[in-house]
Amino acid sequence: MPTATEKLHLSEIAPNVVQSEIRSMTVECDRLGGVNLAQGVCDTEPPAPVVEQAIQAIRDGRNIYTRLDGIAPLREAIARKLERDNSMTVDPESEVLVTSGATGGLYAAALALLNPGDEVIVFEPFYGYHLNTLISLRIKPVVVPMAEGSWEIDFDRVRSAITEKTRALIVNTPSNPCGKVFSLKELEIIAGIVEENDLFLFTDEIYEYFVYDGTRHISPATLPGMAERTISISGLSKTFSITGWRVGYLAASSRWLGAIGYFHDLTYVCSPSAFQYGAAAGLLDLPVSYYTGMAEEYKMKRDKLCSALQDAGFTPSIPPGAYYVLADVSSIEGANAKEKARTLLRERGIAAVAGTAFFAGGRGEKLLRFCFAKRTEDLDRACKLLRG
């Protein structure tokens, strides 16, 4: 029989969209039995009400598809949370969508609002899933680097990156991987650029409760004129340590939400039903002190890890938000960041992520990203290994 080869091939983008370096390092860490500071799995214990209500929902038979926009108790809880913590007023019936994680929210929103060939401004260092989501949809990410270390933005560079094909801009605050929390002044300038050029603003605010040293998280949708053009994306994976449950959400004008919901339904159907009930219980039952206490706990973990990194001869960039540290590891043997990451894992038993996973154009070669969202005993072990 003849062998067909001309039409049986990968898509044009498939060879360039490979397993993330984060997952690659996790696999290698598991193989060697190291401490995984590579993946942001947030393996601390979930709050008891969240777990108990999810289990009860399973026992109560809440195991079928939900409405495409999610269960009413969760949408209503999200709306109350957004009003309380973000100063956002949204209609849970027409402006809130429960999604399969924040990544599912971005994917569905991009499908609904952007076309192949459109351009989207992405700040660097970037989260790889943002970049590759755009690429997978044949949308062109246009990378605008921030100043390394200070992570300041050159807004003239942002303006010069905008073309007639630009349709949107992505803001990740607090940021993965550098922990940058966008200031009010920065967000006001971004809002002005977005309005001047009639663009959408996609936000990823999933680390909103992980802010330190008096830093304040601001939701861009609350700025004047931004509610209609902002797609506010977040989730409960990090807040409740349930990354595997895939419970995210987005808030947007009803003008856009219907189409976004359709594409989310088409791609994911719905976020897992029982887990939605668990997440709703967390939002309804946990006091505000839960969130402030979590921030205090993670600040201590941040300081503990940064101290160990400094003792190991590295130079960490102290993050004001999220739960990652980018550190200069020039002293580690290796021709590039990937080799340095594997040297660190081999010699000290610590898995980190090559900085190049978050940079374009060959940048990030002297950096590694470390995650401190770990159980205390695991983080203590990692710090001991770092210090040798």
Side-chain angles (χ1 to χ4, degrees):
M1 295 178 60
T3 301
T5 57
E6 292 185 4
K7 294 185 178 180
L8 299 183
H9 54 74
L10 295 171
S11 71
E12 61 184 13
I13 64 169
N16 297 316
V17 180
V18 297
Q19 176 173 269
S20 75
E21 182 65 9
I22 299 170
R23 290 192 177 276
S24 296
M25 286 304 298
T26 295
V27 170
E28 187 66 6
C29 182
D30 289 345
R31 187 180 72 83
L32 296 177
V35 180
N36 186 3
L37 302 188
Q39 192 168 9
V41 294
C42 198
D43 58 7
T44 53
E45 290 298 320
V50 175
V51 174
E52 291 164 4
Q53 188 55 51
I55 293 171
Q56 189 61 49
I58 293 171
R59 289 175 175 157
D60 290 344
R62 301 186 185 279
N63 303 307
I64 61 173
Y65 301 135
T66 69
R67 259 177 48 163
L68 70 83
D69 54 356
I71 63 169
L74 180 53
R75 285 183 284 107
E76 291 164 2
I78 290 167
R80 286 195 289 272
K81 170 259 180 245
L82 288 173
E83 184 172 15
R84 182 193 70 197
D85 297 346
N86 304 80
S87 300
M88 292 173 60
T89 301
V90 299
D91 182 350
E93 283 296 311
S94 63
E95 296 178 321
V96 175
L97 174 68
V98 179
T99 62
S100 183
T103 51
L106 176 62
Y107 192 83
L111 274 169
L113 303 177
L114 304 175
N115 295 314
D118 285 347
E119 296 178 357
V120 175
I121 305 294
V122 179
F123 291 110
E124 178 194 75
F126 47 75
Y127 176 46
Y129 274 65
H130 294 161
L131 195 82
N132 286 320
T133 292
L134 298 174
I135 292 171
S136 71
L137 296 173
R138 275 69 172 180
I139 298 162
K140 181 182 178 182
V142 177
V143 175
V144 175
M146 296 187 287
E148 187 175 319
S150 69
W151 314 120
E152 293 180 353
I153 301 169
D154 181 342
F155 286 104
D156 289 335
R157 195 163 183 174
V158 176
R159 293 184 180 93
S160 66
I162 295 172
T163 73
E164 62 182 13
K165 293 183 178 180
T166 306
R167 291 285 313 288
L169 188 150
I170 294 179
V171 165
N172 179 199
T173 182
S175 167
N176 175 8
C178 67
K180 177 184 176 66
V181 180
F182 283 65
S183 68
L184 176 60
K185 181 178 179 180
E186 288 173 323
L187 292 175
E188 287 175 338
I189 296 172
I190 288 170
I193 292 172
V194 166
E195 286 196 285
E196 289 167 16
N197 294 277
D198 198 22
L199 307 176
F200 282 111
L201 179 64
F202 294 92
T203 73
D204 182 342
E205 304 174 49
I206 200 164
Y207 298 101
E208 62 183 302
Y209 293 111
F210 299 88
V211 288
Y212 320 113
D213 307 320
T215 304
R216 183 167 68 98
H217 170 70
I218 300 168
S219 290
T222 61
L223 299 182
M226 291 302 293
E228 185 173 5
R229 63 178 66 250
T230 302
I231 313 301
S232 303
I233 302 170
S234 192
L236 303 166
S237 296
K238 318 295 185 178
T239 306
F240 295 155
S241 299
I242 51 172
T243 54
W245 289 21
R246 312 313 303 139
V247 183
Y249 61 86
L250 66 78
S253 165
S254 58
R255 181 180 178 185
W256 317 120
L257 198 87
I260 298 170
Y262 168 75
F263 280 107
H264 186 270
D265 176 45
L266 184 67
T267 310
Y268 303 99
V269 181
C270 64
S271 177
S273 175
F275 293 157
Q276 290 190 45
Y277 284 93
L283 287 176
L284 292 169
D285 296 346
L286 293 172
V288 173
S289 60
Y290 168 80
Y291 304 96
T292 56
M294 180 175 61
E296 292 171 2
E297 176 189 351
Y298 276 77
K299 179 184 182 297
M300 289 189 289
K301 290 183 176 182
R302 178 202 68 176
D303 294 345
K304 181 183 293 187
L305 176 60
C306 287
S307 175
L309 290 168
Q310 290 171 331
D311 290 346
F314 308 145
T315 306
S317 175
I318 311 298
Y323 51 57
Y324 307 98
V325 177
L326 278 177
D328 185 322
V329 295
S330 300
S331 59
I332 296 180
E333 181 182 344
N336 53 49
K338 287 185 179 181
E339 288 187 11
K340 290 178 184 294
R342 283 155 178 78
T343 297
L344 182 67
L345 178 58
R346 184 177 63 252
E347 294 185 353
R348 304 202 193 185
I350 302 293
V353 183
T356 46
F358 313 102
F359 291 80
R363 294 181 288 274
E365 290 288 10
K366 64 181 182 179
L367 301 175
L368 294 183
R369 189 200 75 174
F370 299 82
C371 173
F372 54 88
K374 297 293 167 184
R375 295 184 179 94
T376 300
E377 58 269 26
D378 292 330
L379 188 61
D380 287 344
R381 180 184 167 213
C383 291
K384 183 177 181 180
L385 290 169
L386 280 168
R387 291 187 169 100

